[in-house]
Amino acid sequence: MQKFVGTGVALVTPFNEDLSVDFDALRRLVNFNIDNGINYLVINGTTGESGTITKQEKEEIIKVIVEENKGRLPLVLGVGGNNTQIVVDELKSLDLSDIDAILSVAPYYSKPTQEGFYEHYKAISLASPKPIILYNVPGRTSKNMEPATTLRLANDFENIIAVKEAGNNQQQYLELLKNKPEDFLIISGDDDLALGVVLAGGSGVISVIGQGLPKEFSRMIQLGLEGKNKEGYEIHYKLMDIVNYIFEENNPAGIKAVLEKQGICLDKVRLPLVTATEELQTKISDFIDNL
């Protein structure tokens, strides 16, 4: 699954002043990332504010990204939730002909056991016509999917090809990397740990900051994949502050402030999220001016 090696980005959903979807800005964002070295695009993830996007908007967003992409990069679509049956039904009803893989977040709020995680993803595996990337993000779901469960799924289901691991837990990454099946991909979901994960044998990253600084971030990951740790860390240290800034208040308010600064989209987010404070916007703006 070479197409998911390198830098993927979890695209934001740009909004107009009235909070309707800004499709022109979405097209700009897609091209900005393709032109600057990103390897694949992720649609309708948490960073895309999937929780406040309607079914109709989701369909239109997919259509516009597919049109603008013109087959240039692989596309990954977020299809997940904490009602297994609804996820299964959605997989059966969606037109996935232009989608290369599904990113499915671990069930949030419900706090299932490890067996519950396994059965949830088993049902998704049996229903999905496309390869599946598991997504473990305990900071958002409130329950960690343990490495043993991830590896059990990797071994038992051929169409489960990767995990986006976002536990911000170095030990957990290493356990996955040490014990994974040979062709199973460990993808970092933590921008701050991504280079270290790649140098330890990871396949890359699904990034938030990557879409705001695609040239720099994708170059850093590429250097990591080539084992050039010194050159990679030179870029990592340059980007450390901005990675911290974008997660300081909420995601995607931070990254949208980065994108507004670059003239790609407005910084608008839908409630219950609010735009970045003036203080944070100033820090982000100064960082980009100095970069």
Side-chain angles (χ1 to χ4, degrees), residues 219-231:
R219 177 71 185 138
M220 179 188 82
I221 296 299
Q222 189 54 44
L223 287 166
L225 289 167
E226 292 167 13
K228 295 177 178 171
N229 61 328
K230 187 170 176 288
E231 298 94 323

Side-chain angles (χ1 to χ4, degrees), residues 102-217:
I102 295 303
L103 177 69
S104 198
V105 69
Y108 40 79
Y109 195 76
S110 307
K111 297 173 82 169
T113 62
Q114 297 305 309
E115 190 60 29
F117 282 128
Y118 180 87
E119 290 295 333
H120 172 81
Y121 280 120
K122 176 183 177 181
I124 289 171
S125 169
L126 295 173
S128 179
K130 296 287 177 173
I132 297 157
I133 301 171
L134 310 173
Y135 180 16
N136 182 43
V137 57
R140 285 187 180 274
T141 63
S142 82
K143 187 78 183 273
N144 183 41
M145 185 163 69
E146 292 166 11
T149 305
T150 300
L151 295 168
R152 186 180 164 206
L153 288 161
N155 283 304
D156 289 358
F157 301 100
E158 216 171 278
N159 62 344
I160 295 179
I161 59 160
V163 62
K164 177 187 176 186
E165 176 63 36
N168 215 259
N169 180 332
Q170 217 153 9
Q171 183 57 35
Q172 188 148 301
Y173 276 115
L174 294 175
E175 207 173 314
L176 288 165
L177 288 164
K178 175 177 174 281
N179 298 313
K180 74 180 187 70
E182 193 181 343
D183 55 355
F184 187 73
L185 308 181
I186 308 300
I187 299 168
S188 175
D190 299 301
D191 284 349
D192 55 342
L193 299 181
L195 178 59
V197 170
V198 169
L199 286 164
S203 303
V205 64
I206 292 176
S207 173
V208 176
I209 192 59
Q211 70 196 295
L213 299 168
K215 193 175 279 183
E216 296 84 352
F217 203 84

Side-chain angles (χ1 to χ4, degrees), residues 6-287:
T7 304
V9 288
L11 295 171
V12 303
T13 302
F15 298 128
N16 294 301
E17 287 284 354
D18 66 357
L19 297 184
S20 60
V21 178
D22 184 344
F23 291 106
D24 290 337
L26 186 58
R27 290 178 190 277
R28 274 196 299 279
L29 180 64
V30 167
N31 285 304
F32 178 60
N33 278 275
I34 293 173
D35 294 344
N36 285 286
I38 293 303
N39 301 105
Y40 59 99
L41 305 173
V42 179
I43 309 166
N44 198 56
T46 313
T47 304
E49 293 175 74
S50 53
T52 57
I53 299 293
T54 68
K55 184 174 180 286
Q56 189 188 343
E57 285 171 334
K58 182 175 176 177
E59 287 168 4
E60 288 171 13
I61 287 163
I62 295 167
K63 184 167 169 277
V64 166
I65 292 174
V66 166
E67 277 173 9
E68 202 59 37
N69 182 49
K70 299 181 179 73
R72 290 177 286 174
L73 293 187
L75 300 177
V76 176
L77 179 66
V79 185
N82 66 344
N83 182 329
T84 309
Q85 191 57 51
I86 286 177
V87 179
V88 165
D89 291 344
E90 187 176 3
L91 282 170
K92 289 175 178 173
S93 69
L94 280 167
D95 175 10
L96 299 171
S97 50
D98 296 296
I99 300 299
D100 296 271
I102 295 303
L103 177 69
S104 198
V105 69
Y108 40 79
Y109 195 76
S110 307
K111 297 173 82 169
T113 62
Q114 297 305 309
E115 190 60 29
F117 282 128
Y118 180 87
E119 290 295 333
H120 172 81
Y121 280 120
K122 176 183 177 181
I124 289 171
S125 169
L126 295 173
S128 179
K130 296 287 177 173
I132 297 157
I133 301 171
L134 310 173
Y135 180 16
N136 182 43
V137 57
R140 285 187 180 274
T141 63
S142 82
K143 187 78 183 273
N144 183 41
M145 185 163 69
E146 292 166 11
T149 305
T150 300
L151 295 168
R152 186 180 164 206
L153 288 161
N155 283 304
D156 289 358
F157 301 100
E158 216 171 278
N159 62 344
I160 295 179
I161 59 160
V163 62
K164 177 187 176 186
E165 176 63 36
N168 215 259
N169 180 332
Q170 217 153 9
Q171 183 57 35
Q172 188 148 301
Y173 276 115
L174 294 175
E175 207 173 314
L176 288 165
L177 288 164
K178 175 177 174 281
N179 298 313
K180 74 180 187 70
E182 193 181 343
D183 55 355
F184 187 73
L185 308 181
I186 308 300
I187 299 168
S188 175
D190 299 301
D191 284 349
D192 55 342
L193 299 181
L195 178 59
V197 170
V198 169
L199 286 164
S203 303
V205 64
I206 292 176
S207 173
V208 176
I209 192 59
Q211 70 196 295
L213 299 168
K215 193 175 279 183
E216 296 84 352
F217 203 84
S218 64
R219 177 71 185 138
M220 179 188 82
I221 296 299
Q222 189 54 44
L223 287 166
L225 289 167
E226 292 167 13
K228 295 177 178 171
N229 61 328
K230 187 170 176 288
E231 298 94 323
Y233 272 109
E234 278 173 18
I235 301 175
H236 173 87
Y237 293 135
K238 269 184 202 161
L239 301 181
M240 262 173 75
D241 287 348
I242 194 70
V243 169
N244 291 333
Y245 294 161
I246 64 163
F247 296 111
E248 203 170 279
E249 291 176 1
N250 67 63
N251 180 41
I255 186 61
K256 281 189 168 180
V258 172
L259 293 166
E260 178 166 274
K261 170 72 177 171
Q262 295 176 95
I264 290 161
C265 68
L266 297 178
D267 66 351
K268 302 296 171 206
V269 290
R270 286 179 176 171
L271 287 169
L273 302 183
V274 292
T275 53
T277 58
E278 212 169 302
E279 183 191 0
L280 181 56
Q281 290 192 39
T282 302
K283 285 199 284 192
I284 287 170
S285 181
D286 289 348
F287 179 91

